[in-house]
Amino acid sequence: MHPKPMTGAGFSFSTPYFYDGLRFVGNRTFVICAEKKRRYAECELLSICVLQGTTHSDFISAIFPSNFYRIGFSFEEMIAMMFNDTCNVIGVEEFSIFDSELEKLIKSGEYVLGNKSLTKEPLSAVTRNEDREWSDIVTWAIRALIQGEMNGLMRNPQLCNNDTILESNSTRLNYDQSVYCVGNYGEIFNRRFGENKRSSMNTINKGSPMIYSTPLGDIFGTNNDFQVMDEMIDGGVLKRVKSRKGDVLRCGVVVSFDDVNITSVDYCHVLAAALFNGDFEAVEFLTFRENDDVAYESLSHGIIDALAGTVVNFEGDVDRGFSYSTPYYYRDKESSVE
């Protein structure tokens, strides 16, 4: 489904824990037609079933005329539509096929699963954004599974405390228990989908391409969305920036290895352009040394509005109460993402 902008809807999204995308299942000839977006010759009878109100239906409706696709209201209904020849191809995500009637038909050779993934969509957990502590807990529980697999931690009943006492201080939570009691990311994935089912998008990244474009959803929203955003201007950092003399963003940049990360400078310009309707020069820079607490103190006291070029870490997020953006730059230095 399309996520609404977080500024208007009031939701926070965790680190994505699963990536999938639109694949086609059905008659081999028509699956190829759908993948190649053909509508002529042998493809004239192509009919795609797609679930209503999803990014898949948006994607397909933007490519094919309405007479080439049919809308289903559930996965089960779409399978029934295949069986009664209403459509000859279903647009689904691969994970939804496992243990279904479609998987049996694919294994029997009656249907095929297309080779192309036409979209890439991250799945994550969602929380309300007024409780930042809870959002952090949800996110770091997921990150613990990924970190566990990367560092060789596995499910271990002997190390699982199985304690029902809830820790009231979130900074004292032991996220290793998520791994010891349930399993690391790879164990959970294999348990659910089986061995050798992981695509490259769902493997632990150890240096291959790492920048991923997260879908923005309906970024223009509706009039109601903009009314919510207007109300939010009355409080917080946005109000401070807007009311500052000269309308300027104060952006801190971390200096590493005696040089300024140019990517971080560009990010500050990007943020200014978003705030000031394209005026990317409306920014004042303050530089800080790497691992210098003055940078975080300046952020805490409102001397700067944002800090770019710092490394994502648990202590800063949970213990000290800072929020990190999606990483925009990966350094070779171990565990360094900015």
Side-chain angles (χ1 to χ4, degrees):
M1 302 292 286
H2 273 310
K4 289 289 185 182
M6 283 187 288
T7 51
F11 296 114
S12 292
F13 294 86
S14 73
T15 296
Y17 56 82
F18 187 83
Y19 291 87
D20 209 339
L22 174 65
R23 304 278 290 272
F24 291 116
V25 178
N27 175 280
R28 180 182 299 275
T29 298
F30 292 115
V31 165
I32 294 173
C33 291
E35 287 184 337
K36 294 185 176 181
K37 305 169 189 176
R38 289 179 179 169
R39 308 193 300 269
Y40 55 88
E42 72 272 19
C43 301
E44 286 182 344
L45 297 179
L46 171 65
S47 180
I48 304 169
C49 275
V50 64
L51 195 61
Q52 183 192 39
T54 62
T55 51
H56 296 167
S57 62
D58 289 344
F59 180 85
I60 289 175
S61 64
I63 294 173
F64 293 97
S66 58
N67 58 313
F68 279 89
Y69 62 88
R70 304 289 182 270
I71 298 297
F73 296 93
S74 69
F75 183 65
E76 292 73 20
E77 181 183 5
M78 290 195 299
I79 293 178
M81 292 167 75
M82 282 279 283
F83 290 162
N84 65 25
D85 295 327
T86 300
C87 48
N88 41 43
V89 169
I90 292 181
V92 293
E93 292 183 346
E94 187 174 3
F95 83 92
S96 64
I97 298 172
F98 293 119
D99 295 328
S100 72
E101 190 67 24
L102 281 182
E103 184 177 43
K104 296 176 184 177
L105 293 169
I106 292 169
K107 289 180 177 179
S108 71
E110 186 172 347
Y111 288 166
V112 298
L113 171 64
N115 295 319
K116 292 184 179 180
S117 180
L118 280 79
T119 64
K120 294 182 179 67
E121 302 180 39
L123 304 184
S124 64
V126 183
T127 55
R128 295 179 62 88
N129 66 11
E130 77 259 7
D131 189 343
R132 187 180 177 281
E133 181 182 46
W134 179 245
S135 296
D136 283 343
I137 290 172
V138 171
T139 286
W140 283 102
I142 292 170
R143 289 178 180 174
L145 306 180
I146 298 170
Q147 191 74 9
E149 181 179 4
M150 186 175 223
N151 293 324
L153 272 65
M154 303 181 68
R155 185 173 181 270
N156 188 335
Q158 293 181 330
L159 295 177
C160 175
N161 291 336
N162 197 20
D163 193 345
T164 57
I165 298 175
L166 178 63
E167 176 61 64
S168 59
N169 187 337
S170 64
T171 63
R172 296 177 183 172
L173 291 174
N174 185 356
Y175 292 95
D176 287 346
Q177 288 296 307
S178 300
V179 179
Y180 293 144
C181 299
V182 184
N184 65 37
Y185 182 85
E187 289 178 296
I188 293 172
F189 192 101
N190 292 338
R191 195 160 62 230
R192 173 63 181 88
F193 299 113
E195 299 283 346
N196 303 318
K197 292 287 189 178
R198 289 172 78 174
S199 65
S200 58
M201 286 192 297
N202 290 305
T203 54
I204 300 299
N205 196 307
K206 297 181 180 179
S208 55
M210 302 174 81
I211 299 297
Y212 175 76
S213 174
T214 302
L216 293 177
D218 185 5
I219 61 173
F220 296 105
T222 64
N223 291 333
N224 289 335
D225 290 332
F226 285 111
Q227 288 171 8
V228 173
M229 292 173 70
D230 287 341
E231 291 169 3
M232 294 181 69
I233 291 174
D234 291 335
V237 178
L238 190 57
K239 178 183 178 181
R240 183 175 70 211
V241 174
K242 186 172 178 62
S243 62
R244 182 176 293 141
K245 185 177 180 180
D247 276 357
V248 65
L249 169 73
R250 289 179 182 162
C251 197
V253 177
V254 173
V255 178
S256 59
F257 309 113
D258 296 321
D259 194 11
V260 175
N261 186 330
I262 301 302
T263 306
S264 298
V265 172
D266 287 336
Y267 173 74
C268 293
H269 284 302
V270 167
L271 182 56
L275 289 169
F276 299 111
N277 198 27
D279 186 1
F280 64 92
E281 297 287 358
V283 56
E284 293 177 355
F285 291 99
L286 284 81
T287 58
F288 302 92
R289 291 289 178 183
E290 193 169 18
N291 300 322
D292 186 352
D293 275 350
V294 174
Y296 284 100
E297 290 172 4
S298 298
L299 189 60
S300 293
H301 296 307
I303 297 172
I304 56 176
D305 307 310
L307 179 63
T310 189
V311 176
V312 178
N313 65 85
F314 175 85
E315 179 187 2
D317 191 3
V318 176
D319 289 2
R320 303 176 70 178
F322 296 106
S323 292
Y324 293 88
S325 71
T326 298
Y328 57 84
Y329 184 82
Y330 291 82
R331 297 203 311 240
D332 291 335
K333 182 180 177 182
E334 185 178 358
S335 300
S336 291
V337 291
E338 299 178 347

